[in-house]
Amino acid sequence: MGRYSGFAAAAAALIALAVPAARPAAAQAADPVLAAAIEELATASRILADQGVVDAYGHVSIRHPHNPNRYLLSRAIAPARATAADIMEFDLDSNPIDRRGRDLFIERFIHGEVYKARPDVNAVVHSHSPTVVPFSVTQVPLRPVIHTAAFLWPGVPNWEIRDAGGVTDLLVRNGALGKALAATLGDKPVALMRGHGNVVVGKDVRVATRRAIYTEVNARELAIALGLGGPITYISAEEGAFKDKQASDEARAWDLWQERVTKK
Ligand SMILES: [Zn+2]
């Protein structure tokens, strides 16, 4: 991998010097694994928009398939509009590798700092998932009530940006804030961000996307259950841990979501 990466980087640098605009297409054509990962990431971005997890804001990233010290994230555009051509590469301090004048997401530090803290994580979603936010500003814990969100069983911590940054505009504008958020996330799949949204992680982009979607769905179902009143029967820790070990038909959901966002 090292020798290949070195060669690829050198070749890409030469191409970049000669024809800057041609670099992404040329590099991707030479690397089908990277090209497929980029395509899948752009698809995930559009799926998250289609499923109502992100709106004009929010973003999804993946760890670079060949370099664990890099990640891939689109330039700053609405997630529904992302295509493979918009995907950029960053180091874990969230510096772009080859910016070429493109706008960057202010909150990209969420991604870099989570990848530093979590070697098991290869995909990160940050969203303002609407039904999740009320659970970040009240004392009502976000716990799983629907089996598709059983992965929330370890608990969902709520990050208070004031503890790390005092008075802010609530945006994760630097590595220090991103690091504090990653510390609150700990080894969990999801952390809330007070008055803002959440961060959702997974071993790959399909898992992170599915978790982000069903965290939103679970918040909706739980809010309805709370409105009905009376004691609530949550998914237990034992049930959650048991479900984590079961095989599930994840491709069916992904294929459906993908079809909805793929132009014919
Ligand atoms: Zn945000």
Side-chain angles (χ1 to χ4, degrees):
M1 186 182 101
R3 280 178 63 187
Y4 175 74
S5 297
F7 173 77
L14 281 173
I15 293 165
L17 279 173
V19 202
R23 189 197 164 201
Q28 286 169 34
D31 187 338
V33 171
L34 180 59
I38 286 172
E39 196 61 58
E40 189 172 56
L41 174 59
T43 299
S45 182
R46 299 195 302 273
I47 286 173
L48 288 164
D50 186 54
Q51 294 295 315
V53 173
V54 295
D55 50 15
Y57 306 101
H59 19 91
V60 53
S61 71
I62 55 169
R63 199 186 289 273
H64 194 292
H66 302 316
N67 184 346
N69 295 316
R70 298 269 175 91
Y71 70 89
L72 304 172
L73 173 71
S74 83
R75 68 188 173 95
I77 55 168
R81 300 176 61 210
T83 67
D86 299 306
I87 304 299
M88 300 175 65
E89 187 174 332
F90 296 85
D91 67 22
L92 296 191
D93 288 328
S94 297
N95 301 305
I97 303 306
D98 179 16
R99 182 167 183 172
R100 284 187 282 127
R102 291 171 286 187
D103 290 336
L104 310 179
F105 286 122
I106 291 167
E107 298 192 285
R108 62 191 181 279
F109 303 97
I110 295 170
H111 303 264
E113 296 303 322
V114 168
Y115 289 125
K116 281 185 198 171
R118 291 282 299 271
D120 61 310
V121 163
N122 295 307
V124 176
V125 176
H126 166 58
S127 82
H128 308 155
S129 195
T131 321
V132 160
V133 174
F135 293 90
S136 78
V137 296
T138 61
Q139 299 303 307
V140 181
L142 181 60
R143 293 174 58 190
V145 287
I146 183 168
H147 68 99
T148 44
F151 59 86
L152 296 173
W153 71 268
V156 182
N158 188 12
W159 182 58
E160 173 52 82
I161 193 170
R162 285 176 195 157
D163 294 343
V167 176
T168 66
D169 61 1
L170 276 75
L171 301 184
V172 181
R173 288 182 173 273
N174 57 55
L177 290 171
K179 189 174 180 182
L181 171 58
T184 296
L185 174 68
D187 61 358
K188 309 286 197 301
V190 179
L192 304 185
M193 301 161 68
R194 191 267 303 166
H196 184 162
N198 66 3
V199 58
V200 181
V201 302
K203 68 177 169 61
D204 61 44
V205 75
R206 294 188 183 207
V207 169
T209 300
R210 181 168 48 83
R211 284 177 171 175
I213 291 168
Y214 282 111
T215 299
E216 168 63 22
V217 170
N218 187 82
R220 219 179 293 154
E221 310 285 20
L222 176 52
I224 292 170
L226 288 163
L228 291 173
I232 290 175
T233 306
Y234 294 96
I235 304 283
S236 72
E238 292 77 12
E239 287 169 332
F242 181 80
K243 184 147 191 351
D244 277 354
K245 297 192 193 86
Q246 305 302 304
S248 62
D249 187 3
E250 291 164 13
R252 197 192 320 169
W254 182 268
D255 290 348
L256 169 69
W257 294 333
Q258 183 175 38
E259 195 174 285
R260 288 174 53 93
V261 299
T262 304
K263 291 192 181 75
K264 296 267 178 350

